[in-house]
Amino acid sequence: MADQTSNRMWGGRFAAGPDAIMEAINASIGFDRRLAAQDIAGSRAHAAMLAATGIISDSDAEAIDKGLVAVLAEIESGNFAFSTALEDIHMNVEARLKEIIGEPAGRLHTARSRNDQVATDFRLWVREQLDAAGEGLEALMRALLAQAEAGADWVMPGFTHLQTAQPVTWGHHMMAYVEMFGRDLSRVRDARARMNECPLGAAALAGTSFPIDREMTAQALGFDRPCANSLDAVSDRDFALEFLSVASICAMHLSRLAEELVIWSSAQFRFVTLSDRFSTGSSIMPQKKNPDAAELIRAKIGRIFGANTALMMVMKGLPLAYSKDMQEDKEQVFDAADNLMLALAAMEGMVHDMTANRDSLAAAAGSGFSTATDLADWLVRVLGLPFREAHHITGALVAMAERRGCDLPDLSLDEMRSVHPGITDDVYNVLGVENSVNSRMSLGGTAPAQVRAQIERWKAKIG
Ligand code: ARG
């Protein structure tokens, strides 16, 4: 049998302490201790409000506040003896408060329940994570912007199906990721704005008969307003699910960039060189420099999306209002948040440190008949051919170059004319990769001037 301490909170109704296995399945202190700072902030706001509304005396509120500050100091210094018998962070804090200040501690829980307490704590915690994710995203975007700026006009192959498609610029490719992470940033901000309502004062589920001031606590904790419906306030975990959804999409983006870095840093590509700080060696193959950080970032989507799915399944079908199922929300969010922050920081470090190999990029840019579309466009523009016919003629020229084992610009004018007699010397002007990228001046296109415009727009937004 476990000890009897946990019955102190509801001892009136219970004769015996919980079975050890009951205690083990019930306790959340092993992980929700991470909510200590938020729990104490919530309690301080609540106690101040109870005094301001005359529900408890000023002297009790003062004692409670001092005591809570002392408890937090103990927890932060690592000198706090967490008790499993006390189940969760809320009861651990309250029990210790009682030891420190005595009788007034018992008044703190007036007009409150652990249901609105945990919902408040967890919102505060998730809100901090959204802010941290926003900062991590901005740092990563700045690193990508710096790369884009350095190589706004460096040519490289653009791919579809991972087959050479058309030449693009390095800056353009970097800025594609800035767009993705920019959307993540806006999702982070949307989620934060929507979740910033305070559950405190919803009490167990129905509200309270005490004359509390929910605006006051909401404001003290930095919320925009109190949650409007007490049943919803204690049973809503959308804010956690939105965080996990935003984190999942962001982790998916990270995994795509990570995959490109793995490919690009290979000996076959050599598009980028990763710094030693973000690479590892092999214990047996001396030549190896492995992109482990990129591989691990690529994998993080697995656990983050897993957390999203897990919490969605926990919440599915739960009747109103609070059910203990909801205690299962925390570990998923903690793990996802830790790993998202780590992945963002590691990606920022890798992108910041990596060197794009301009020559390898340029050499690859011209291979694989990457300017075939430019040739077809020339046939349309200069000779007035329908695009379908131009496509066909270009295909024949590509096949000819392939047979000869050369690139398109290496075909002689006579060879070209054997396929279409109207072709002139002018065609060679569009077959070079530089010309190709410079010509793609359409809005959002790969021309360096367009890329620089994108860079300027983002720099103005995130500095
Ligand atoms: N540890 C609980 C949780 O994380 C706190 C709320 C408990 N409420 C209750 N009525 N048992 O959800």
Side-chain angles (χ1 to χ4, degrees):
M1 285 293 281
D3 71 64
Q4 307 282 310
T5 22
S6 68
N7 276 353
R8 285 201 306 211
M9 298 292 165
W10 50 76
R13 191 179 183 293
F14 286 76
D19 185 272
I21 292 174
M22 179 60 214
E23 187 176 292
I25 194 171
N26 203 32
S28 53
I29 190 60
F31 47 88
D32 69 11
R33 61 180 66 183
R34 289 187 68 171
L35 299 178
Q38 292 75 15
D39 191 69
I40 287 170
S43 289
R44 293 181 70 190
H46 183 65
M49 181 278 290
L50 291 177
T53 50
I55 299 169
I56 65 172
S57 69
D58 285 344
S59 59
D60 281 348
E62 227 166 88
I64 289 169
D65 197 67
K66 273 204 187 118
L68 286 169
V69 171
V71 175
L72 183 60
E74 286 181 8
I75 293 173
E76 281 175 345
S77 69
N79 291 328
F80 191 92
F82 288 104
S83 154
T84 310
L86 286 167
E87 207 182 309
D88 57 26
I89 186 63
H90 324 295
M91 295 205 288
N92 269 267
V93 169
E94 197 183 318
R96 182 67 188 130
L97 183 67
K98 178 98 189 288
E99 285 173 3
I100 299 174
I101 68 167
E103 194 268 337
R107 300 186 187 277
L108 170 60
H109 214 52
T110 314
R112 184 177 78 168
S113 152
R114 279 187 297 156
N115 297 348
D116 60 338
Q117 195 177 351
V118 74
T120 305
D121 295 0
F122 201 32
R123 276 200 199 223
L124 289 170
W125 197 89
V126 170
R127 194 175 70 188
E128 278 176 30
Q129 299 305 308
L130 285 168
D131 290 343
E135 280 167 29
L137 279 163
E138 284 190 355
L140 173 55
M141 289 166 76
R142 277 190 213 104
L144 287 161
L145 276 166
Q147 286 285 351
E149 231 178 345
D153 57 356
W154 298 359
V155 290
M156 68 179 281
F159 300 91
T160 60
H161 314 269
L162 199 56
Q163 307 286 324
T164 301
Q166 293 171 353
V168 296
T169 47
W170 169 256
H172 195 213
H173 203 118
M174 293 295 106
M175 292 308 293
Y177 283 103
V178 171
E179 290 292 328
M180 290 186 233
F181 294 121
R183 285 194 296 276
D184 291 333
L185 187 59
S186 95
R187 270 184 280 272
V188 161
R189 290 176 179 160
D190 288 351
R192 191 197 198 281
R194 194 160 29 251
M195 65 93 74
N196 204 27
E197 297 184 341
C198 186
L200 201 58
L205 73 166
T208 175
S209 57
F210 290 98
I212 58 171
D213 182 348
R214 293 194 59 209
E215 300 284 350
M216 182 180 168
T217 41
Q219 203 189 350
L221 295 168
F223 288 109
D224 296 329
R225 65 194 80 86
C227 298
N229 180 303
S230 64
L231 287 167
D232 178 51
V234 292
S235 59
D236 166 45
R237 292 295 180 272
D238 289 3
F239 61 93
L241 285 166
E242 274 200 55
F243 171 72
L244 292 174
S245 312
V246 169
S248 294
I249 297 175
C250 177
M252 176 274 287
H253 290 152
L254 286 168
S255 80
R256 298 182 72 175
L257 178 52
E259 166 74 355
E260 301 222 87
L261 294 182
V262 170
I263 295 173
W264 290 352
S265 62
S266 67
Q268 288 70 24
F269 271 75
R270 289 186 198 281
F271 283 6
V272 298
T273 306
L274 299 176
S275 73
D276 288 354
R277 297 198 317 147
F278 284 96
S279 310
T280 55
S282 158
S283 54
I284 175 170
M285 297 166 282
Q287 86 284 9
K288 291 283 287 260
K289 196 170 150 189
N290 293 327
D292 290 40
E295 294 164 82
L296 288 163
I297 293 169
R298 187 172 57 184
K300 291 295 183 197
I301 175 73
R303 63 200 295 166
I304 294 173
F305 195 77
N308 189 16
T309 308
L311 185 55
M312 200 64 100
M313 291 302 102
V314 167
M315 296 306 295
K316 174 190 173 295
L318 284 186
L320 301 187
Y322 178 86
S323 293
K324 196 61 174 261
D325 308 51
M326 288 158 66
Q327 180 167 287
E328 291 284 313
D329 56 0
K330 291 167 209 58
E331 283 169 292
Q332 301 298 341
V333 174
F334 291 161
D335 186 75
D338 291 345
N339 282 284
L340 179 69
M341 303 315 155
L342 192 53
L344 281 169
M347 186 57 95
E348 191 260 326
M350 255 191 311
V351 171
H352 177 271
D353 278 20
M354 75 185 178
T355 311
N357 302 324
R358 190 176 181 176
D359 295 340
S360 309
L361 291 168
S367 68
F369 312 112
S370 64
T371 53
T373 315
D374 299 87
L375 173 51
D377 287 351
W378 184 89
L379 294 168
V380 171
R381 203 172 49 245
V382 179
L383 302 188
L385 302 181
F387 184 77
R388 281 291 155 228
E389 196 184 333
H391 184 285
H392 190 79
I393 292 165
T394 307
L397 288 166
V398 166
M400 179 185 282
E402 208 163 29
R403 273 196 308 278
R404 278 204 35 205
C406 68
D407 283 322
L408 281 174
D410 304 324
L411 293 175
S412 69
L413 190 56
D414 285 345
E415 284 173 311
M416 297 229 195
R417 282 193 171 135
S418 73
V419 176
H420 193 286
I423 297 177
T424 66
D425 241 358
D426 179 53
V427 77
Y428 290 100
N429 289 330
V430 302
L431 293 182
V433 288
E434 307 279 344
N435 288 329
S436 168
V437 297
N438 284 328
S439 72
R440 295 219 151 66
M441 270 300 287
S442 54
L443 182 80
T446 206
Q450 282 295 329
V451 172
R452 290 197 179 98
Q454 291 180 39
I455 294 171
E456 290 317 312
R457 194 169 54 81
W458 275 107
K459 274 172 79 175
K461 271 196 201 175
I462 62 164

